[in-house]
Amino acid sequence: MKRVAVLGGGPAGAFAAERLASAGLETILLDSKLAWEKPCGGGLTCKAYEKYPFLIDNDRPKRLVTVTQMAAPGAGAARMNLRKPLVIYSRYELNRMLLARAEAAGAEIEQTRVMGMERVNSHWRLATRSGAVETDFCIVATGARNPLREVGTRLTADDTMLALGYYVPEDQDHVDIQFLPQLEGYIWVFPRCGHLSVGICGKGEPAQKLRARLEAFMRERGISWKNGTFYSHVLPSLATRAWKSNRVAGQGWLAVGDAGGLVDPITGEGLYYAIRSGDLASQVLLSDEHSPDGKAQAYRALLHRDFAANLEFGAALARRLFRGTLLWAGVPQRMVQIMRRSPRFNELMQDLFAGTQGYLGLKDRLLRNLHGTMFETAVNFLLSRLVPGEI
Ligand SMILES: Cc1cc2nc3c(=O)[nH]c(=O)nc-3n(C[C@H](O)[C@H](O)[C@H](O)COP(=O)(O)OP(=O)(O)OC[C@H]3O[C@@H](n4cnc5c(N)ncnc54)[C@H](O)[C@@H]3O)c2cc1C
């Protein structure tokens, strides 16, 4: 293989380009916008920066937040003191850093839009705004709104969440996560450098209704959106059956990040999976173990082992978690109530939130801790009755 084109320069594409170029492969990255404020919370979990320490060890502007308040209707809020902070970037800064790293590693970066692609013999001819580009292999990193029909995940309405919100010129020191009645999704408030990103994501609900829910929340919290900037975008949230038939690779191409649907269907975390899949795709591409025709299969298998099996399992849990009931109340309400009363359960939720507790091992951990959690919940409940206001 002589030349690889990376289509899209968000976190997935930029990181793949960095890895490929630093291994000595001729790499060209094409993006219509390059560094831009892509609609996003910008939150990176410790799972991400522990695997890729440069994501925290750098001098770029970012916020490190160690307190999260999780709230649900009828339950008030529970506080999580994070053992490891959530790192929050503006997407302009994060993309800029990743693109600079790709360029420093030797990738050629070009600002242009890819209009179409055609397979000619065993290579690709790309039509771009600035002319044709010939390449042997493509990494497809064009995000959730991938306009290239031939490649990448085919997202249906069932496999996406709408996400929208405001960047508002205000500040707070903690993250808020708010569950809402009958919504497969949630509201977040993320403090960033110089502003807040306040947003909502939800499955199966029109944008207008989501926006009304968000504005009602902001009104209640006294956060004005009048001087804010509105944003909206799509968030892949693959249903279980879509994970099974996900078009994530084919002859001469591998899709990474949102273009491959690689987002946590519960939390909406996509940045880690974008960067991780960029890494895995470049490992497959650089490996001599697989023939050019075997690369798609090898990539699918590697993704499955690394994180996709876990996300597929998460997809089966999502609806029950957001809209299910437990002991005659909504699951989110019970979760928040138990978090407040049981340090063990609070810790588990913290690990889920940080992505260090997988969905696959969740049931085992819940069962292992069941007695302790019930004991702590009962004791704290009784204490709260005896000493009102203490818990
Ligand atoms: C509102 C919202 C909030 C979110 N909050 C978080 C969060 O807090 N934490 C988290 O981990 N994840 C979050 N996510 C998910 C996260 O934003 C994505 O998973 C992540 O951006 C995926 O990166 P990517 O590189 O795959 O795609 P993108 O970041 O979308 O990058 C795709 C790139 O491709 C380029 N492109 C597209 N088409 C073409 C073309 N034809 N030619 C050339 N270039 C093209 C675009 O310009 C863009 O730069 C959020 C998503 C949304 C919508």
Side-chain angles (χ1 to χ4, degrees):
M1 192 170 309
K2 296 193 191 89
R3 192 168 204 235
V4 177
V6 179
L7 320 182
F15 196 61
E18 177 189 337
R19 288 283 152 126
L20 294 169
S22 56
L25 212 62
E26 189 185 337
T27 307
I28 179 167
L29 181 150
L30 311 164
D31 190 297
S32 44
K33 298 186 194 152
L34 294 179
W36 64 294
E37 195 52 61
K38 192 247 161 196
C40 189
L44 276 168
T45 58
C46 63
K47 182 176 60 180
Y49 60 76
E50 282 178 350
K51 188 76 130 183
Y52 303 107
F54 75 88
L55 290 169
I56 189 166
D57 298 333
N58 61 64
D59 57 8
R60 305 285 172 148
K62 57 189 166 302
R63 285 284 290 265
L64 271 58
V65 181
T66 53
V67 176
T68 295
Q69 303 244 46
M70 205 172 263
R79 179 185 165 105
M80 289 194 283
N81 294 313
L82 306 181
R83 292 186 301 277
K84 292 172 184 161
L86 184 73
V87 177
I88 308 178
Y89 284 91
S90 91
R91 282 297 303 273
Y92 173 75
E93 286 298 340
L94 180 64
N95 286 22
R96 201 156 75 103
M97 170 172 76
L98 290 162
L99 286 165
R101 288 173 61 94
E103 192 164 30
E108 183 187 341
I109 312 272
E110 190 180 330
Q111 183 165 8
T112 189
R113 184 167 178 78
V114 182
M115 315 291 284
M117 54 199 295
E118 187 190 355
R119 190 101 172 122
V120 183
N121 301 323
S122 57
H123 69 277
W124 291 100
R125 184 167 300 144
L126 306 175
T128 78
R129 278 238 163 90
S130 39
V133 173
E134 304 282 334
T135 182
D136 298 307
F137 206 95
C138 288
I139 298 287
V140 181
T142 36
R145 288 187 175 144
N146 171 28
L148 305 166
R149 297 285 122 224
E150 306 80 351
V151 289
T153 299
R154 280 174 282 213
L155 292 172
T156 67
D158 259 7
D159 304 320
T160 53
M161 280 191 176
L162 270 182
L164 54 88
Y166 293 94
Y167 301 120
V168 291
E170 293 190 23
D171 191 25
Q172 67 177 45
D173 59 0
H174 64 277
V175 161
D176 277 307
I177 301 289
Q178 172 75 50
F179 298 106
L180 296 166
Q182 297 307 309
L183 178 71
E184 195 171 333
Y186 62 90
I187 284 176
W188 69 86
V189 184
F190 277 13
R192 291 168 154 200
C193 293
H195 64 277
L196 299 176
S197 170
V198 187
I200 184 168
C201 59
K203 206 169 195 174
E205 221 173 84
Q208 239 179 354
K209 201 163 165 201
L210 285 175
R211 190 167 178 173
R213 284 195 196 245
L214 179 67
E215 289 177 356
F217 166 86
M218 292 173 77
R219 209 174 294 118
E220 205 174 287
R221 288 295 178 90
I223 305 174
S224 168
W225 61 89
K226 294 285 179 283
N227 297 318
T229 311
F230 181 72
Y231 60 81
S232 73
H233 208 77
V234 211
L235 189 56
S237 173
L238 301 194
T240 311
R241 69 181 172 287
W243 280 105
K244 297 198 189 303
S245 57
N246 189 13
R247 194 177 65 168
V248 77
Q251 235 192 9
W253 64 271
L254 306 176
V256 292
D258 282 14
L262 305 174
V263 174
D264 185 316
I266 294 178
T267 62
E269 178 180 13
L271 290 171
Y272 169 74
Y273 299 108
I275 291 169
R276 184 73 188 142
S277 57
D279 188 359
L280 298 179
S282 55
Q283 285 175 30
V284 169
L285 216 54
L286 292 166
S287 164
D288 293 332
E289 258 181 58
H290 325 288
S291 66
D293 286 349
K295 297 225 180 265
Q297 185 48 35
Y299 178 56
R300 271 191 222 106
L302 192 56
L303 277 181
H304 187 79
R305 276 203 306 279
D306 199 85
F307 65 77
N310 187 52
L311 298 189
E312 181 180 333
F313 192 76
L317 293 181
R319 196 177 165 81
R320 267 182 282 168
L321 194 144
F322 286 116
R323 302 187 66 161
T325 54
L326 177 70
L327 300 172
W328 312 282
V331 171
Q333 179 180 346
R334 290 292 182 233
M335 267 177 0
V336 171
Q337 286 168 332
I338 301 173
M339 272 171 79
R340 261 210 315 269
R341 299 205 156 110
S342 164
R344 273 171 221 248
F345 189 74
N346 193 301
E347 203 164 293
L348 183 148
M349 288 302 292
Q350 192 174 143
D351 292 344
L352 261 185
F353 182 71
T356 49
Q357 169 63 58
Y359 301 122
L360 280 167
L362 184 58
K363 192 171 162 195
D364 281 352
R365 181 162 169 196
L366 279 168
L367 287 175
R368 262 198 325 275
N369 287 293
L370 187 62
H371 286 119
T373 302
M374 279 168 51
F375 178 73
E376 286 168 354
T377 306
V379 167
N380 282 319
F381 176 73
L382 287 173
L383 278 177
S384 72
R385 297 283 131 149
L386 294 171
V387 196
E390 278 292 292
I391 309 277

